[in-house]
């Protein structure tokens, strides 16, 4: 069968190049992989929809404080993952990541308080010991999305498509945490919740979803777009949907599956 022709421009010198390969695997991230596939199919003018895992954020106040949280020598990564499985809230899992003291968070608090932050150092110290940030994510069924289209010159254009259900489930999740205050050891700050626009989570994908009988922008079980027998998309772009929980391991497991199957099929045909 024919080789795959790859055309592009060099990063160092911006000069055009082209090269042929027996087979290629595209793992440029969901947005770039989708754009590469779209550019490779001239005449496709309709936007391709990337599904999102909606982000929302709200603060909690813990009943028990942590001494010296601001000067503790530790990383500022999430300290706990919480999966909420409650059909009354949502028929999909809701994922929460809980963060303790964070310089960025405290800077935002000081900016919001303005001159009061200098006049009330006790309040700042209290927040440093007791405040946590809950960063939540929703399944793509309950999230906004991002439409990707290409300009005439081939540049990527992204347009967010909000989903009103995301705001409702995010707010209901905050209420759920309030009702579960014993388990969390604290309560959310009433009225304080932020639901950023679609795409803010950076958990995008499912734009070229795998299908048993792919059509349109779908791919087959090896991540091959329609009409491309030796081109494989192998990142989150080919997942069927985007879960609320982190997707890195799922995407890695899927690419390992595809590469293993392609290697086996290649061995049989050589």
């Amino acid at each position: 069968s024919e080789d795959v022709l790859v055309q592009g421009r060099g990063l160092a010198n911006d000069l055009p190049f082209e090269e042929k390969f027996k087979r290629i695997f595209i793992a440029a991230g969901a947005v770039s992989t989708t754009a590469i596939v779209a550019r490779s199919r001239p005449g496709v003018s309709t936007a391709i929809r990337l599904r999102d895992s909606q982000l929302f954020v709200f603060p909690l106040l813990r009943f028990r404080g942590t001494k010296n949280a601001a000067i503790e020598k530790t990383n500022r990564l999430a300290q706990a993952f919480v999966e909420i499985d409650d059909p009354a809230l949502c028929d999909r899992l809701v994922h929460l990541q809980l963060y303790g003291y964070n310089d960025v968070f405290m800077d935002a608090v000081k900016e919001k308080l303005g001159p009061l932050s200098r006049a009330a150092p006790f309040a700042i110290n209290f927040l440093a010991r007791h405040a946590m940030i809950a960063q939540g994510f929703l399944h793509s069924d309950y999230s906004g999305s991002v439409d990707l289209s290409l300009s005439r010159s081939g540049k990527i254009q992204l347009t967010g498509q909000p989903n009103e259900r995301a705001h409702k489930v995010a707010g209901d999740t905050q209420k759920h945490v309030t009702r579960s205050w014993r388990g969390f050891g604290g309560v959310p700050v009433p009225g304080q919740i932020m639901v950023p626009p679609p795409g803010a989570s950076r958990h995008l994908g499912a734009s070229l979803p795998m299908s048993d009988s792919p059509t349109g922008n779908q791919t087959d079980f090896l991540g091959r777009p329609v009409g491309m027998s030796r081109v494989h998309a192998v990142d989150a772009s080919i997942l069927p949907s985007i879960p609320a929980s982190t997707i890195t391991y799922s995407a890695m497991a899927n690419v390992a599956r595809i590469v293993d199957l392609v290697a086996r099929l290649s061995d049989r045909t050589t």
Side-chain angles (χ1 to χ4, degrees):
S1 58
E2 295 183 0
D3 292 339
V4 181
L5 176 64
V6 176
Q7 297 175 316
R9 304 188 74 89
L11 290 176
N13 52 26
D14 197 37
L15 295 176
F17 73 87
E18 64 177 42
E19 192 168 348
K20 291 184 178 181
F21 298 89
K22 294 295 183 183
R23 189 180 301 275
I24 67 169
F25 298 85
I26 310 175
V31 172
S32 294
T33 293
T34 303
I36 290 170
V37 171
R39 293 189 187 108
S40 303
R41 305 171 74 177
V44 178
S45 58
T46 56
I48 301 177
R49 178 152 293 182
L50 292 110
R51 303 187 70 184
D52 184 29
S53 173
Q54 180 69 55
L55 169 70
F56 60 98
V57 181
F58 58 86
L60 296 108
L61 288 178
R62 295 183 298 128
F63 302 136
R64 181 179 297 178
T66 300
K67 293 182 179 179
N68 301 320
I71 60 174
E72 185 179 14
K73 293 183 178 181
T74 183
N75 63 62
R76 304 307 188 192
L77 300 177
Q79 297 184 354
F81 281 10
V82 179
E83 312 299 332
I84 302 177
D85 184 6
D86 184 353
L89 172 65
C90 177
D91 61 8
R92 300 283 193 173
L93 289 179
V94 176
H95 176 74
L96 294 180
Q97 298 179 189
L98 301 181
Y99 294 82
Y101 177 89
N102 187 294
D103 294 336
V104 175
F105 165 62
M106 293 307 300
D107 287 345
V109 170
K110 292 177 182 178
E111 182 179 350
K112 191 169 185 178
L113 291 176
L116 291 177
S117 64
R118 294 186 295 273
F122 172 79
I124 297 299
N125 291 333
F126 176 84
L127 290 175
R129 296 193 307 272
H130 292 267
M132 293 195 79
I133 292 294
Q135 186 171 274
F137 298 89
L138 304 178
H139 189 278
S140 54
D141 287 352
Y142 289 84
S143 304
S145 56
V146 176
D147 286 350
L148 181 149
S149 58
L150 299 176
S151 67
R152 291 185 178 181
S153 63
K155 290 185 178 181
I156 299 173
Q157 296 178 328
L158 300 175
T159 306
Q161 303 294 340
N163 184 342
E164 288 302 321
R165 293 202 297 178
H167 290 263
K168 182 180 186 306
V169 177
D172 289 346
T173 299
Q174 188 186 41
K175 295 175 183 176
H176 178 93
V177 173
T178 300
R179 294 193 298 270
S180 307
W181 59 270
R182 288 186 178 87
F184 282 91
V187 292
V189 179
Q192 297 296 313
I193 186 170
M194 180 177 65
V195 184
S201 71
R202 296 178 175 83
H203 293 181
L204 291 167
S207 49
L208 309 168
M210 294 178 292
S211 171
D212 290 334
S213 301
T215 60
N217 293 321
Q218 295 176 332
T219 57
D220 66 6
F221 73 105
L222 294 177
R224 296 179 295 190
V226 175
M228 300 182 182
S229 62
R230 289 178 172 267
V231 176
H232 305 262
V234 291
D235 52 27
S237 62
I238 63 172
L239 297 179
S241 62
I242 304 301
S245 56
T246 54
I247 62 174
T248 302
Y249 287 147
S250 298
M252 292 171 62
N254 193 42
V255 66
R257 176 190 65 83
I258 290 175
V259 171
D260 183 58
L261 285 173
V262 169
R264 293 181 187 182
L265 293 172
S266 298
D267 289 342
R268 294 174 186 174
T269 57
T270 56

